[in-house]
Amino acid sequence: GPYVSVSVPSSGGPETLHALGAALQNGHGPGQDVGGWSRLDQDASALTVLELLAVKTKGEVVGASKHRGVWIFAGKLFVRAVGLVLRRWEAGTTTASASKAASASEGGNHPGDVVMGIMEGPGKLRTLRRSWVADAEGKLYLDAAGEVGGSVEVHRASGVVVHRLADGSEQHWKVTTQRGEDPFGAAAAA
């Protein structure tokens, strides 16, 4: 079956390590060394993978030529990564200088965001770690029913998920893999 590898920095708080330990006990007993990998049971674990199609901000729609993203739900864990496409690399360009240039072109916002967390229930996602946000651990990332983190619409016929963020922007995601439970639940169906 599919495998998931999660590497948490040693600076991760005890809540993060405990939550990951509990979520990754799929098929492994306590104390079993599996080298940082956890096997997902084909029958018991849900797997959903979404690919970012477009981002809509201030009425402007930007496609995959400018933004890339992936949102993966594996069992009760999720990881969501979104970033700008950095097209041209010139001699002497470093990751830091390219990131600074991209950030400046986006009005000062950082060009990428990565969130790792636990799915507490359909449409309810809690943060374990988040890039650029040191105090994100334990905070609710998304509660589609309570509208924390925006709202979600699932268009099942077209396989598209629309995430309306709290800042008013929209992210359109294409479901590329769906096995098991819908991570957003029936309430998000449009």
Side-chain angles (χ1 to χ4, degrees):
Y3 285 82
V4 176
S5 176
V6 178
S7 178
V8 179
S10 59
S11 63
E15 293 85 11
T16 300
L17 298 176
H18 176 73
L20 279 173
L24 292 175
Q25 286 302 319
N26 299 334
H28 304 296
Q32 269 187 298
D33 182 11
V34 291
W37 291 86
S38 183
R39 183 177 187 277
L40 297 178
D41 185 335
Q42 288 272 33
D43 299 323
S45 292
L47 176 67
T48 301
V49 179
L50 299 96
E51 179 182 6
L52 186 64
L53 294 175
V55 176
K56 181 179 177 183
T57 56
K58 300 174 189 161
E60 177 188 3
V61 178
V62 178
S65 63
K66 190 168 182 182
H67 290 90
R68 290 285 198 289
V70 63
W71 202 345
I72 302 170
F73 295 86
K76 295 294 182 189
L77 295 175
F78 78 91
V79 175
R80 181 183 174 279
V82 177
L84 293 175
V85 174
L86 300 176
R87 293 183 169 260
R88 201 173 35 178
W89 289 92
E90 298 174 10
T93 301
T94 64
T95 303
S97 63
S99 179
K100 184 177 177 182
S103 179
S105 72
E106 290 294 303
N109 296 325
H110 200 277
D113 185 36
V114 178
V115 181
M116 177 179 75
I118 299 283
M119 184 174 66
E120 294 181 346
K124 189 170 184 178
L125 310 176
R126 189 160 306 274
T127 304
L128 291 175
R129 304 293 277 176
R130 186 169 188 180
S131 61
W132 318 113
V133 184
D135 64 346
E137 182 175 347
K139 292 184 179 174
L140 208 51
Y141 175 71
L142 176 68
D143 185 355
E147 296 200 11
V148 171
S151 63
V152 174
E153 285 181 14
V154 178
H155 301 269
R156 285 183 174 68
S158 61
V160 172
V161 174
V162 178
H163 182 195
R164 287 184 183 82
L165 285 76
D167 67 4
S169 62
E170 289 182 5
Q171 295 176 341
H172 295 243
W173 298 84
K174 177 71 176 171
V175 178
T176 62
T177 302
Q178 174 83 51
R179 187 179 73 224
E181 282 185 55
D182 177 348
F184 301 107

